């Protein structure tokens, strides 16, 4: 009986070994397919990000791709907040409104923030979440916080979470980190584009509503843009009408060519001029006094690319000064 049972034991051991080997092969195959899928998602994400500079679209693309590449089922994307030194939630998927309401910011003194700012990922297991009532209430069991870094600065962090896994699978972590590392430059570009649009919007509001006349002009003597106040000072119904009508600033704008010569000379020497007073010509031919403050803008080779300035109508002041002088002359 002993001789007959020995081969059976060996067969059982071989069968178990085959099962273990098969399981390992299946896992390796699953890991390979997951990595291939993540690489494809990353490539598709790079293409999509390369086609947009819209920050909101960029955020949505990044979080969606990260969730698809990982085994996580919900998450949020936080941008660095320069004012507080922490991070603020700007986009999320799969989280309840109640949870989002209490998770809008990550304070600068929150645990792990220094690690994130240093470019290090943080993985929190279910056992480590038990002390955080907010996350337990949401039903989260695992959390991955992966920084998005550009030129050594943590611009944002991907917070990916799961309602079913007790921890972020270790084979998933390099995939998430690789994706986060590849999007830093795109996110930086989108953030800068958004900031530029905001600043342009603020500048445009000031430009359009100011009582002073704002202008941009070329070195050749044409106006690039003017605001409504500038057009009004010179008797035009709109900025567009003035720009279309004045094709030679030196000839049509200045009453005295010598004023234009001195003005350009100051700009050439100093790059700017403050409160330069001269007589200018309105659309109807009427002559007015104006005060002009201008700054020159240069290209990388030192050539002037445009002038920007502010003009005020000082005719009333000049006429009052003239009357005062005449009055003084009569009594002296």
């Amino acid at each position: 009986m002993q001789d007959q049972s020995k081969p059976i034991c060996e067969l059982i051991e071989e069968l178990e070994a085959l099962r273990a080997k098969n399981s390992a092969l299946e896992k390796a195959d699953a890991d390979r397919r997951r990595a291939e899928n993540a690489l494809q998602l990353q490539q598709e994400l790079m293409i999509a990000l390369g086609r947009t500079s819209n920050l909101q679209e960029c955020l949505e693309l990044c979080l969606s791709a990260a969730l698809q590449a990982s085994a996580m089922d919900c998450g949020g994307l936080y941008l660095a907040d320069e004012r507080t030194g922490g991070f603020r939630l700007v986009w999320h998927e799969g989280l309840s409104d109640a949870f989002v309401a209490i998770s809008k910011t990550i304070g600068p003194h929150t645990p792990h923030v220094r690690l994130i700012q240093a470019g290090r990922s943080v993985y929190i297991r279910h056992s480590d979440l038990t002390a955080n009532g907010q996350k337990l209430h949401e039903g989260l069991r695992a959390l991955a916080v992966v920084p998005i870094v550009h030129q050594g600065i943590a611009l944002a962090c991907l917070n990916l979470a799961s309602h079913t896994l007790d921890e972020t699978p270790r084979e998933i972590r390099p995939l998430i980190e690789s994706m986060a590392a590849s999007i830093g430059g795109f996110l930086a570009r989108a953030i800068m584009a958004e900031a530029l649009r905001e600043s342009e919007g603020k500048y445009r509001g000031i430009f359009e509503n100011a009582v002073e006349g704002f202008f941009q002009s070329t070195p050749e003597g044409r106006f690039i843009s003017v605001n409504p106040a500038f057009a009004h000072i010179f008797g035009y119904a709109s900025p567009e009408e003035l720009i279309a009508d004045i094709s030679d600033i030196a000839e049509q704008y200045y009453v005295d060519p010598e004023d234009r010569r001195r003005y350009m000379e100051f700009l050439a020497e100093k790059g700017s001029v403050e409160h330069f007073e001269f007589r200018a010509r309105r659309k109807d031919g009427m002559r007015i006094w104006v005060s002009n403050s201008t700054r020159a803008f240069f290209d990388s080779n030192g050539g002037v690319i445009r002038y920007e300035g502010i003009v005020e109508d000082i005719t009333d002041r000049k006429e009052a000064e003239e009357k005062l002088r005449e009055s003084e002359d009569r009594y002296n």
Side-chain angles (χ1 to χ4, degrees):
M1 292 293 295
Q2 290 182 350
D3 293 337
Q4 292 178 353
S5 63
K6 187 175 181 181
I8 295 176
C9 293
E10 291 178 355
L11 287 173
I12 292 173
E13 290 177 358
E14 290 177 2
L15 181 60
E16 291 299 326
L18 286 172
R19 285 175 178 171
K21 185 177 181 180
N22 186 58
S23 178
L25 289 172
E26 288 178 352
K27 184 179 183 303
D29 185 59
D31 290 346
R32 179 186 57 78
R33 284 186 278 108
R34 186 182 294 112
E36 289 176 350
N37 180 59
L39 180 60
Q40 182 177 349
L41 284 170
Q42 186 170 325
Q43 291 173 341
E44 292 172 355
L45 177 61
M46 297 304 99
I47 294 172
L49 291 176
R51 292 173 176 169
T52 182
S53 61
N54 180 277
L55 180 58
Q56 185 59 41
E57 186 177 355
C58 182
L59 297 172
E60 294 178 19
L61 287 168
C62 291
L63 182 57
S64 177
L67 289 174
Q68 289 183 63
S70 69
M72 315 300 259
D73 54 36
C74 61
L77 205 157
Y78 289 75
L79 285 183
D81 190 332
E82 293 182 1
R83 184 178 59 84
T84 65
F87 294 83
R88 57 186 175 85
L89 182 64
V90 290
W91 187 246
H92 61 88
E93 289 186 27
L95 298 172
S96 68
D97 293 340
F99 182 72
V100 169
I102 59 177
S103 306
K104 288 184 176 180
T105 61
I106 302 176
H109 305 297
T110 304
H112 311 307
V113 164
R114 287 187 179 180
L115 292 174
I116 298 166
Q117 290 173 336
R120 296 174 60 184
S121 299
V122 177
Y123 298 97
I124 306 174
R125 299 173 296 179
H126 178 243
S127 58
D128 297 323
L129 291 173
T130 55
N132 190 330
Q134 295 177 355
K135 290 184 175 64
L136 285 178
H137 180 72
E138 179 70 10
L140 303 183
R141 300 181 64 84
L143 176 65
V145 184
V146 182
I148 299 174
V149 178
H150 178 64
Q151 295 182 347
I153 299 173
L155 301 176
C157 62
L158 276 169
N159 286 27
L160 307 177
S162 174
H163 292 89
T164 58
L165 300 173
D166 285 345
E167 68 173 343
T168 307
R170 296 187 179 276
E171 65 273 15
I172 294 294
R173 298 178 187 183
L175 305 180
I176 302 172
E177 293 173 6
S178 174
M179 181 171 288
S182 67
I183 62 182
F186 293 102
L187 185 59
R189 184 186 67 174
I191 291 172
M192 288 188 288
E194 182 73 10
L196 181 60
R197 280 191 288 268
E198 289 180 359
S199 65
E200 286 178 344
K202 292 176 183 177
Y203 174 75
R204 178 56 58 181
I206 296 171
F207 185 81
E208 295 290 345
N209 299 312
V211 295
E212 299 88 357
F214 285 83
F215 73 90
Q216 291 181 322
S217 64
T218 68
E220 294 74 30
R222 292 201 65 126
F223 287 111
I224 302 170
S225 67
V226 301
N227 69 340
F230 189 97
H232 176 73
I233 289 171
F234 292 95
Y236 290 87
S238 69
E240 292 77 16
E241 182 188 10
L242 182 148
I243 292 170
D245 185 57
I246 299 180
S247 58
D248 188 333
I249 291 175
E251 289 293 327
Q252 297 172 261
Y253 183 65
Y254 286 83
V255 171
D256 187 348
E258 180 63 17
D259 287 333
R260 174 67 173 180
R261 187 196 65 76
R262 290 191 300 113
Y263 169 75
M264 296 302 292
E265 190 175 87
F266 285 140
L267 286 174
E269 290 178 358
K270 301 179 180 179
S272 65
V273 60
E274 297 289 333
H275 307 297
F276 182 80
E277 298 180 358
F278 63 95
R279 288 184 301 164
R281 188 178 290 108
R282 285 169 46 96
K283 177 185 177 183
D284 58 10
M286 178 180 175
R287 297 178 178 185
I288 61 173
W289 279 96
V290 296
S291 173
N292 187 326
S293 296
T294 305
R295 178 186 172 192
F297 288 80
F298 303 89
D299 60 23
S300 58
N301 296 318
V304 177
I305 54 176
R306 72 179 184 278
Y307 301 112
E308 290 186 5
I310 303 174
V311 167
E312 293 182 77
D313 185 346
I314 59 171
T315 303
D316 291 344
R317 193 196 83 199
K318 282 291 190 179
E319 290 179 349
E321 290 173 352
E322 181 62 26
K323 289 179 181 179
L324 180 60
R325 279 193 297 271
E326 291 175 356
S327 176
E328 291 174 344
D329 290 341
R330 282 196 302 268
Y331 289 100
N332 288 336

